[in-house]
Amino acid sequence: MTEPAVASSDATNIQSTITEDGDDLVLNGHKHWISNAGHPHLNICIFMGVDAKAEEKGLGRHNRHSMVLVPIPTEGVDIIRPLSVFGYEDAPHGHCEMKFDNVRVPRSNLVHEMGAGFAIAQARLGPGRIHHCMRLIGAAERSLQLACERADSRFAFGSLLSEKGVVVESIARSRCELHQARLLTLDAAKKIDEVGAKNARKEIAMIKIVAPHMAQVVIDRAITIHGGIGLSSDLPLAHQFATARFLKFADGPCDVHISQLGKMELQEQRKKRGEGRE
Ligand SMILES: Cc1cc2nc3c(=O)[nH]c(=O)nc-3n(C[C@H](O)[C@H](O)[C@H](O)COP(=O)(O)OP(=O)(O)OC[C@H]3O[C@@H](n4cnc5c(N)ncnc54)[C@H](O)[C@@H]3O)c2cc1C
């Protein structure tokens, strides 16, 4: 989905084009941050683009995008380079910059139907977000475990780190915040099971806002307890910290979720007051 030329947090901005040509579709566009595009087993990708004749056909902003399956390799597909995250390459999977130059695929490669791309993206991204939150909880849990082990073995200024109030407090705060995020994630998962991802938008937005921030804070505290070595690649903490930071962007920036959640809350409160304002 994501393109360097446009603000891709708003998927309606996507500019890559899909041109219908008889029994074929012709794809053109420039993408970046395409996760797993560097995977050695990659043999198919999903291309999201706008109908090249959207204006002519009078299509709206939410029904002019489609998704198309593109086998790899196909002539015209260029995987240019993996982008790094804080210097980490995330090899061999990578998050790649890609170009699609007159890529021709059969119309049968269309996912669902022309114009369904935006709806498919919305349906897939909701449940996808909760997986990232579960991974973040795992990363934070591991960081806290490492922090406790280190605090119980490192001796400074006459006592173990685990005997210093400031360290004990940071461990206690990490446990509270981790548990809060875990319960919020379990609650969102339950809601998705019960009413589907569409009706669990509020819960999904809440964990997408809370989990990456929690993980960053908990991992940061673990780094502090480890001292300088916490920043090195000898331990998983620095990489996990970078991952927590990029998950504030992946599957939609937290700010967008904050904005949508705030609007949903305002609407619900207005409804409770009997005011119809949208
Ligand atoms: C490691 C990594 C992996 C990724 N993997 C993929 C992938 O596999 N496939 C894919 O398609 N994309 C992928 N992405 C891209 C990611 O989804 C986008 O970076 C994200 O959607 C934001 O788009 P953008 O970078 O164009 O930022 P922009 O859209 O330019 O947004 C920039 C900033 O504007 C602000 N903003 C925007 N809208 C609002 C709003 N409504 N309210 C308040 N603030 C707002 C936010 O602060 C936001 O961070 C990945 C990104 C990273 C970093």
Side-chain angles (χ1 to χ4, degrees):
M1 291 173 68
T2 304
E3 300 178 358
V6 292
S8 302
S9 51
D10 178 357
T12 62
N13 281 340
I14 287 172
Q15 285 180 339
S16 294
T17 56
I18 301 173
T19 307
E20 295 174 288
D21 185 18
D23 288 338
D24 289 342
L25 299 172
V26 180
L27 318 176
N28 280 287
H30 185 188
K31 304 280 184 183
H32 71 169
W33 289 121
I34 305 307
S35 294
N36 293 318
H39 197 292
H41 298 153
L42 176 76
N43 58 17
I44 201 154
C45 70
I46 305 175
F47 173 96
M48 175 125 153
V50 64
D51 189 326
K53 295 200 172 150
E55 292 300 329
E56 217 173 289
K57 293 179 183 173
L59 299 172
R61 274 172 69 77
H62 293 97
N63 62 357
R64 56 174 59 189
H65 293 86
S66 306
M67 290 204 186
V68 180
L69 302 178
V70 183
I72 304 289
T74 294
E75 206 184 322
V77 179
D78 187 8
I79 301 175
I80 299 168
R81 59 171 181 143
L83 298 175
S84 66
V85 177
F86 288 120
Y88 291 105
E89 266 190 22
D90 217 0
H93 308 271
H95 312 279
C96 297
E97 180 182 351
M98 297 178 76
K99 272 205 172 143
F100 294 76
D101 185 16
N102 282 322
V103 174
R104 187 172 284 272
V105 294
R107 176 180 274 274
S108 55
N109 283 23
L110 192 61
V111 182
H112 194 34
E113 58 189 16
M114 283 296 274
F118 198 80
I120 296 169
Q122 288 301 98
R124 129 77 183 101
L125 287 173
R129 285 177 185 125
I130 197 168
H131 292 140
H132 287 315
C133 295
M134 293 174 192
R135 291 185 193 109
L136 286 164
I137 286 165
E141 193 67 55
R142 175 87 176 112
S143 305
L144 181 54
Q145 183 194 347
L146 289 172
C148 291
E149 283 169 16
R150 181 75 168 190
D152 262 346
S153 62
R154 198 78 166 168
F155 201 83
F157 296 100
S159 65
L160 284 168
L161 295 186
S162 58
E163 289 162 5
K164 298 185 190 303
V166 70
V167 173
V168 174
E169 182 181 344
S170 105
I171 287 170
R173 289 200 184 283
S174 288
R175 173 50 68 209
C176 293
E177 288 156 28
L178 224 167
H179 200 60
Q180 286 169 340
R182 190 191 301 276
L183 293 180
L184 207 52
T185 306
L186 284 169
D187 182 56
K190 186 166 172 275
K191 193 84 189 273
I192 292 172
D193 275 350
E194 286 173 0
V195 296
K198 203 173 170 189
N199 293 316
R201 274 171 49 218
K202 199 171 162 183
E203 285 75 12
I204 292 171
M206 281 193 272
I207 49 157
K208 177 66 176 63
I209 296 161
V210 167
H213 179 71
M214 174 282 296
Q216 251 201 301
V217 172
V218 168
I219 297 165
D220 186 57
R221 289 192 191 116
I223 289 172
T224 300
I225 290 173
H226 278 84
I229 198 73
L231 293 173
S232 77
S233 297
D234 288 4
L235 293 168
L237 299 172
H239 193 196
Q240 284 175 342
F241 186 86
T243 302
R245 183 62 186 90
F246 90 61
L247 286 176
K248 285 184 168 173
F249 284 129
D251 283 357
C254 290
D255 284 351
V256 174
H257 291 276
I258 289 172
S259 162
Q260 287 170 351
L261 179 65
K263 284 179 191 157
M264 277 189 264
E265 185 64 32
L266 282 162
Q267 265 177 14
E268 281 176 23
Q269 294 287 342
R270 284 177 198 134
K271 224 166 148 187
K272 279 185 196 161
R273 295 197 305 267
E275 292 173 21
R277 208 172 111 212
E278 285 297 312

